[in-house]
Amino acid sequence: MYQRIAIQKVKQLIKHFPVVAILGPRQVGKTTLAKEFIKLLKKDVIYLDLEMPGDYNLLLNPELFFKANQNKCIIIDEVQRMPELFSVLRAVIDIHRVAGRFILLGSANPILLQKSSETLAGRIAFYELTGLNSKEIYKKISQNKHWVYGGFPHSLKFKNEEIRKDWFRSFILTYIEREFVNLGLKTTSVNLNRFFYMLAHNQGTLVNVSSYAKSLGLQFPVVANYFDYFENAFLIRKLPPFYINIKKRLVKSPKVYIRDTGILHYLLNISSFNQLLAHPIAGASWEGFVIEQIASCLENKFNLSFYRTQDGTETDLIIEKNGKAEVCIEIKLTSEPQKTKSMTLSHIDLNTSKNFVIIPECKISYQLFDSTTVCSLFDFISIYLPKI
């Protein structure tokens, strides 16, 4: 059992909002987190899982059920299976508006956001639960294991590699054959599987929908739709380019990453750290892993992007606020990073005073040049990131 940082944050939201929605992919720990509040909250809690027919039937007349239990906290898991609940929630909340009435859990971002924004504005707070981050597993799981097997709690607990592969196979099958169908995506599982494998082989590259469409033998709008669905299901991250008003030709396409490196490595048939280091995807995998770890700690307080010009000047990750680059980060799979012309030009272009190079192992942080610090991932998120 890992102590999730999210517990304290969600606990604060529950004190101030009638509805708190915890979003994230399947199996990331949303249900486990929500059940923790059954112990913590100072009032009775009802837990309903809409994948269970009995619980689903309890909400066939939701207004009566909510009114009968208005002094309790009601946790509704897989709430996207009953989108008509949102309009009822607004009505019952306006009649009896108190904090902590409902906790909604969902793995379907588009439905939750659309329905709640229309009906629950000012009444709901969102929290995205990501995979386990380095702070949560510190001294329990090594960084190498975390990187290879990803952040899903189940993936990290398995000691048998074949069982772990079976778990990932089942996880992906659930999304491909059921979850996307429930979200309204009309396509074949064969096409979705091929698309997912293409994403894995193109980790950290610029999105070129036309190229994907040509390779898959599909129309441009169909593949563009795939990208949206995979992103909204928390499976991929599209990292946008950073735009600034300079006289340079900038790359305008986003980069795409499979968010969980465990899924990435399963799709590429990588099952050990040594296999990963020998694979051509290793550098891009480390880059995606670092980005996700940083993103999970920021909690949407800042925007993330990358910077690249047509002449090759680039920075892997920018932490920005109000349209201004605050931090430049290079992510290098090396033990001895070197100063490069690209680093220098990026820092000049972006006018950043806080610059970092994050590498897999670095016992003591040090200055590479000027205002550029070389450090480990854990030191960055635990020491430097809180000061930004």
Side-chain angles (χ1 to χ4, degrees), residues 79-221:
V79 68
Q80 72 274 2
R81 296 187 173 278
M82 196 178 276
E84 63 272 19
L85 282 179
F86 289 97
S87 58
V88 181
L89 285 172
R90 174 180 177 174
V92 298
I93 287 169
D94 286 349
I95 293 172
H96 182 63
R97 183 162 182 161
V98 295
R101 282 197 67 182
F102 298 94
I103 300 175
L104 309 181
L105 312 179
S107 53
N109 192 14
I111 292 178
L112 273 176
L113 291 181
Q114 180 182 351
K115 293 294 182 181
S116 60
S117 63
E118 292 172 355
T119 60
L120 294 174
R123 304 167 181 85
I124 188 170
F126 293 98
Y127 186 90
E128 181 187 337
L129 185 65
T130 65
L132 291 163
N133 69 39
S134 298
K135 283 185 176 181
E136 294 168 324
I137 64 170
Y138 182 59
K139 293 186 177 181
K140 296 178 181 178
I141 302 290
S142 71
Q143 178 178 272
N144 290 347
K145 182 177 179 179
H146 188 199
W147 175 19
V148 173
Y149 298 134
F152 285 98
H154 284 290
S155 172
L156 288 170
K157 78 176 183 179
F158 294 127
K159 295 182 180 179
N160 184 295
E161 185 57 33
E162 290 305 312
I163 298 298
R164 183 181 288 106
K165 287 181 179 179
D166 287 341
W167 185 85
F168 275 118
R169 187 180 300 113
S170 175
F171 176 90
I172 292 171
L173 190 66
T174 297
Y175 269 96
I176 296 297
E177 296 194 351
R178 186 175 68 174
E179 197 70 15
F180 286 129
V181 173
N182 290 334
L183 289 173
L185 181 59
K186 297 178 181 178
T187 188
T188 67
S189 59
V190 172
N191 285 338
L192 288 177
N193 268 305
R194 291 175 62 205
F195 177 70
F196 215 171
Y197 278 95
M198 283 190 67
L199 286 170
H201 286 279
N202 289 279
Q203 176 84 340
T205 62
L206 297 176
V207 173
N208 186 329
V209 177
S210 297
S211 178
Y212 277 80
K214 184 177 179 180
S215 297
L216 292 167
L218 298 172
Q219 296 296 314
F220 182 98

Side-chain angles (χ1 to χ4, degrees), residues 2-44:
Y2 304 100
Q3 184 68 29
R4 301 304 304 260
I5 295 172
I7 288 180
Q8 293 305 317
K9 176 63 177 178
V10 175
K11 191 175 180 181
Q12 287 300 312
L13 295 176
I14 289 172
K15 290 180 180 179
H16 294 90
F17 289 88
V19 187
V20 175
I22 304 174
L23 308 176
R26 284 180 167 274
Q27 302 296 319
V28 80
K30 298 187 300 296
T31 303
T32 302
L33 179 68
K35 287 183 176 179
E36 284 293 308
F37 293 105
I38 294 177
K39 308 171 190 175
L40 296 173
L41 294 174
K42 296 179 180 179
K43 59 180 176 180
D44 292 336

Side-chain angles (χ1 to χ4, degrees), residues 151-356:
F152 285 98
H154 284 290
S155 172
L156 288 170
K157 78 176 183 179
F158 294 127
K159 295 182 180 179
N160 184 295
E161 185 57 33
E162 290 305 312
I163 298 298
R164 183 181 288 106
K165 287 181 179 179
D166 287 341
W167 185 85
F168 275 118
R169 187 180 300 113
S170 175
F171 176 90
I172 292 171
L173 190 66
T174 297
Y175 269 96
I176 296 297
E177 296 194 351
R178 186 175 68 174
E179 197 70 15
F180 286 129
V181 173
N182 290 334
L183 289 173
L185 181 59
K186 297 178 181 178
T187 188
T188 67
S189 59
V190 172
N191 285 338
L192 288 177
N193 268 305
R194 291 175 62 205
F195 177 70
F196 215 171
Y197 278 95
M198 283 190 67
L199 286 170
H201 286 279
N202 289 279
Q203 176 84 340
T205 62
L206 297 176
V207 173
N208 186 329
V209 177
S210 297
S211 178
Y212 277 80
K214 184 177 179 180
S215 297
L216 292 167
L218 298 172
Q219 296 296 314
F220 182 98
V222 173
V223 177
N225 207 26
Y226 285 4
F227 273 102
D228 290 340
Y229 271 85
F230 273 69
E231 184 178 26
N232 288 328
F234 307 99
L235 295 178
I236 66 172
R237 177 182 298 277
K238 284 193 289 188
L239 188 68
F242 181 73
Y243 293 105
I244 54 177
N245 187 23
I246 59 175
K247 294 180 180 180
K248 289 192 176 183
R249 296 178 61 196
L250 301 177
V251 169
K252 297 183 180 180
S253 297
K255 292 165 72 174
V256 63
Y257 299 87
I258 291 179
R259 292 182 60 167
D260 182 74
T261 49
I263 294 176
L264 171 70
H265 299 152
Y266 166 78
L267 292 170
L268 297 173
N269 199 29
I270 296 170
S271 57
S272 72
F273 183 66
N274 287 341
Q275 283 183 327
L276 173 57
L277 290 182
H279 199 284
I281 208 72
S285 173
W286 171 245
E287 187 176 308
F289 178 72
V290 171
I291 290 171
E292 283 306 308
Q293 295 305 299
I294 293 172
S296 70
C297 294
L298 284 175
E299 298 179 356
N300 298 320
K301 294 177 182 177
F302 297 85
N303 293 323
L304 296 179
S305 59
F306 74 96
Y307 176 68
R308 183 182 294 180
T309 67
Q310 296 287 359
D311 63 7
T313 300
E314 63 178 317
T315 292
D316 296 321
L317 185 66
I318 295 172
I319 299 176
E320 57 173 287
K321 186 175 184 180
N322 299 325
K324 181 183 183 302
E326 298 284 338
V327 183
C328 273
I329 301 170
E330 287 294 317
I331 304 167
K332 301 297 183 184
L333 185 58
T334 180
S335 58
E336 298 180 353
Q338 303 295 316
K339 175 183 177 180
T340 66
K341 181 180 178 181
S342 179
M343 285 185 194
T344 304
L345 291 176
S346 294
H347 300 168
I348 293 172
D349 289 349
L350 299 167
N351 192 30
T352 50
S353 58
K354 297 177 181 179
N355 306 296
F356 295 86

Side-chain angles (χ1 to χ4, degrees), residues 366-380:
Y366 63 92
Q367 295 297 114
L368 183 63
F369 68 99
D370 298 335
S371 59
T372 301
T373 301
V374 177
C375 63
S376 68
L377 171 60
F378 185 79
D379 280 354
F380 178 78

Side-chain angles (χ1 to χ4, degrees), residues 58-93:
L58 280 175
L59 293 181
L60 291 179
N61 196 325
E63 188 172 358
L64 287 177
F65 182 83
F66 293 153
K67 284 184 177 179
N69 297 282
Q70 68 177 10
N71 294 318
K72 301 174 183 178
C73 175
I74 301 175
I75 300 173
I76 305 175
D77 207 342
E78 298 299 330
V79 68
Q80 72 274 2
R81 296 187 173 278
M82 196 178 276
E84 63 272 19
L85 282 179
F86 289 97
S87 58
V88 181
L89 285 172
R90 174 180 177 174
V92 298
I93 287 169

